[in-house]
Amino acid sequence: QVQLVESGGGSVQAGDSLRLSCTVSRTFDTIGDMGWYRQAAGNQRELVATTTIGDGMKYADSVQGRFVLTREDAKRSIYLQMNNLKPEDTGVYYCKARVYRRLDGYDDFWGQGTQVTVAS
């Protein structure tokens, strides 16, 4: 079963930085789009940043200019550099990856989530 391994969350002060990592394991199938989503307490899960095949990087307006998403295909990983963190960035961050089946179709997988807490 495909596994997404996340790391890098933590508790910081406003203005600090964190770097999240996500690696896809237990598959040699082709990985398509990957991205980060977050869910604050009482809110729906929302997109933070994605890397889309053929369409580059996309960011939520709230993180544009502060967060940088990078992808390293050789390591089947993505990284989210989060700078100038704000209390409203607090939440559980989830990695998502689309894995194409060898014959037909694809499946979307989610990581277990990593907590990011930003104190004012």
Side-chain angles (χ1 to χ4, degrees):
Q1 176 72 356
V2 174
Q3 188 174 24
L4 273 60
V5 180
E6 303 157 336
S7 63
S11 297
V12 297
Q13 297 292 315
D16 287 348
S17 298
L18 282 174
R19 186 174 185 252
L20 304 183
S21 300
C22 174
T23 298
V24 180
S25 64
R26 300 186 180 180
T27 181
F28 293 103
D29 291 337
T30 300
I31 301 172
D33 302 351
M34 294 185 72
W36 288 96
Y37 295 72
R38 69 186 178 192
Q39 187 167 17
N43 291 353
Q44 291 186 334
R45 192 171 297 186
E46 62 177 2
L47 181 148
V48 176
T50 62
T51 166
T52 303
I53 300 299
D55 202 21
M57 308 296 182
K58 293 184 178 180
Y59 299 90
D61 290 343
S62 60
V63 307
Q64 185 76 42
R66 299 187 297 121
F67 291 11
V68 178
L69 179 66
T70 56
R71 178 172 180 149
E72 194 168 358
D73 287 329
K75 294 185 177 181
R76 308 172 75 78
S77 298
I78 58 171
Y79 310 94
L80 185 66
Q81 178 66 42
M82 305 186 293
N83 301 318
N84 189 22
L85 282 160
K86 303 177 179 181
E88 51 264 41
D89 294 319
T90 295
V92 179
Y93 284 67
Y94 297 91
C95 177
K96 179 184 177 182
R98 175 160 293 178
V99 180
Y100 288 91
R101 303 182 199 129
R102 295 183 183 183
L103 295 180
D104 184 38
Y106 60 84
D107 297 292
D108 289 334
F109 295 92
W110 292 87
Q112 79 282 359
T114 184
Q115 177 70 43
V116 172
T117 303
V118 184
S120 58

